[in-house]
Amino acid sequence: MGILTICAEAERVEFTYLRDTLSLTGGNLSRHLAVLEEAHLIEVTKGHEGRRPRTWIAITAVGRAALAAELAALEALVLRHRRTSDA
């Protein structure tokens, strides 16, 4: 969810930015990205910026819809919890 949320904030996000922001190892992030890419939630693009290799990640329309659904479900759970706590 963190990957999709960060990707939804920008046109594309660089791999090292995601790795550092989410405090993940490169291998761990790579595995998460592979799963999300297989589900068509993100697109991974490899290229170069100057002479340095770069990997960019972008959320897809399917990914945006999945993120919106997940956030709506979380909001419903929070609301349910608040109602239960107030009773």
Side-chain angles (χ1 to χ4, degrees):
M1 197 161 142
I3 293 169
L4 293 179
T5 301
I6 292 169
C7 288
E9 296 172 352
E11 185 177 327
R12 67 181 185 171
V13 181
E14 210 271 321
F15 180 92
T16 55
Y17 177 80
L18 274 178
R19 183 195 64 208
D20 296 346
T21 301
L22 296 171
S23 299
L24 297 171
T25 65
N28 191 278
L29 177 57
S30 290
R31 181 64 188 131
H32 286 293
L33 294 177
V35 170
L36 292 171
E37 188 175 29
E38 287 172 17
H40 306 288
L41 301 177
I42 62 165
E43 289 182 349
V44 177
T45 306
K46 295 183 183 271
H48 287 84
E49 192 171 87
R51 301 182 88 200
R52 304 181 89 174
R54 297 280 188 224
T55 301
W56 293 280
I57 298 90
I59 192 169
T60 63
V62 173
R64 285 187 189 282
L67 178 60
E70 192 67 25
L71 290 173
L74 278 172
E75 288 173 348
L77 285 172
V78 169
L79 182 59
R80 180 178 172 177
H81 174 73
R82 286 187 179 146
R83 286 182 184 155
T84 305
S85 296
D86 292 341

